[in-house]
Amino acid sequence: MGLDLVPMGKPKKGFEKRFNQIFRVIEGKETLELSFLDKLKGKKLPSKEELLEEWFANQISVYETLKAPQVGRDKEAEDWIKVKYQDSNKELSESDFIKKHKGYYILELAKEIDGLPIYIAYGQEEHVFRGEFLTTCIGLIDESLVHEAWETKLAEEALDYGNRLMNTADNIAKENNLEYLKNQRAPSDSEENDIAGKLHIVYSLARWLTFYGKNGHGYQADY
């Protein structure tokens, strides 16, 4: 299957501390305990399902951060889905087709392209980074820095990881006269196994992590 980095939602204002606590509990890094008074009142600890329900209910979607138009809310998304209807088998009427897709975010029209990586896996959404590409960079960057991508991270950790990857890439770029790759969105014209090809992957992931980390989003390591 390989590694994919899937951006997570971010906590709504005022929910940050609880968001991180629930995350750590779900990840098995922390346990919840009832206070003495809650025990006296006969309260019970929430189940994993209840915690997840609370966690998702108090998130801001990644799609909102990407500024992706939404069907049923934004005109450009409405126009987009009408074009898609013309290419469909038209088993439904246009109005029913639009109703069926109400609430869909159109990533093709997203404004924040730094959150939409070039390196993606077949069948994944456009905002998911194909972390498996990073394995080709072992040798160019430290192996431990590569393997860190397999760790699910909250926003602060994701930003720190992105900054470290960026600093490493900057040093390699200066040594090899490849500074132009830092802001180049398209892959290098060189072979993937060349320094330029590998360095572009590192830069791309660093920018992706920085975008989401700065905007309050962590990522799930899916493999």
Side-chain angles (χ1 to χ4, degrees), residues 42-102:
K43 289 188 177 181
K44 296 181 179 180
L45 288 171
S47 66
K48 181 178 180 179
E49 290 72 22
E50 290 170 332
L51 286 173
L52 284 172
E53 183 178 352
E54 180 186 357
W55 197 64
F56 284 115
N58 288 279
Q59 287 187 24
I60 296 172
S61 168
V62 170
Y63 306 118
E64 291 293 328
T65 299
L66 288 169
K67 298 180 181 176
Q70 186 181 38
V71 177
R73 184 188 67 185
D74 302 302
K75 184 180 182 302
E76 54 189 320
E78 295 285 320
D79 292 341
W80 185 91
I81 201 65
K82 288 177 181 178
V83 172
K84 288 296 180 182
Y85 174 72
Q86 296 304 320
D87 297 331
S88 73
N89 55 26
K90 298 185 179 178
E91 291 182 351
L92 299 174
S93 67
E94 183 180 89
S95 61
D96 286 341
F97 186 80
I98 293 173
K99 286 179 183 177
K100 180 181 177 182
H101 292 87
K102 185 177 181 180

Side-chain angles (χ1 to χ4, degrees), residues 57-153:
N58 288 279
Q59 287 187 24
I60 296 172
S61 168
V62 170
Y63 306 118
E64 291 293 328
T65 299
L66 288 169
K67 298 180 181 176
Q70 186 181 38
V71 177
R73 184 188 67 185
D74 302 302
K75 184 180 182 302
E76 54 189 320
E78 295 285 320
D79 292 341
W80 185 91
I81 201 65
K82 288 177 181 178
V83 172
K84 288 296 180 182
Y85 174 72
Q86 296 304 320
D87 297 331
S88 73
N89 55 26
K90 298 185 179 178
E91 291 182 351
L92 299 174
S93 67
E94 183 180 89
S95 61
D96 286 341
F97 186 80
I98 293 173
K99 286 179 183 177
K100 180 181 177 182
H101 292 87
K102 185 177 181 180
Y104 277 43
Y105 289 90
I106 313 303
L107 288 177
E108 290 180 31
L109 303 177
K111 308 297 188 300
E112 299 287 353
I113 63 171
D114 281 346
L116 303 176
I118 291 296
Y119 300 99
I120 60 176
Y122 178 78
Q124 282 283 13
E125 289 192 84
E126 292 95 325
H127 64 309
V128 177
F129 196 104
R130 181 61 170 170
E132 195 66 23
F133 280 105
L134 199 60
T135 59
T136 66
C137 303
I138 294 175
L140 178 68
I141 65 175
D142 190 81
E143 189 171 353
S144 63
L145 199 57
V146 170
H147 290 164
E148 195 173 334
W150 272 255
E151 300 172 9
T152 295
K153 297 180 183 297

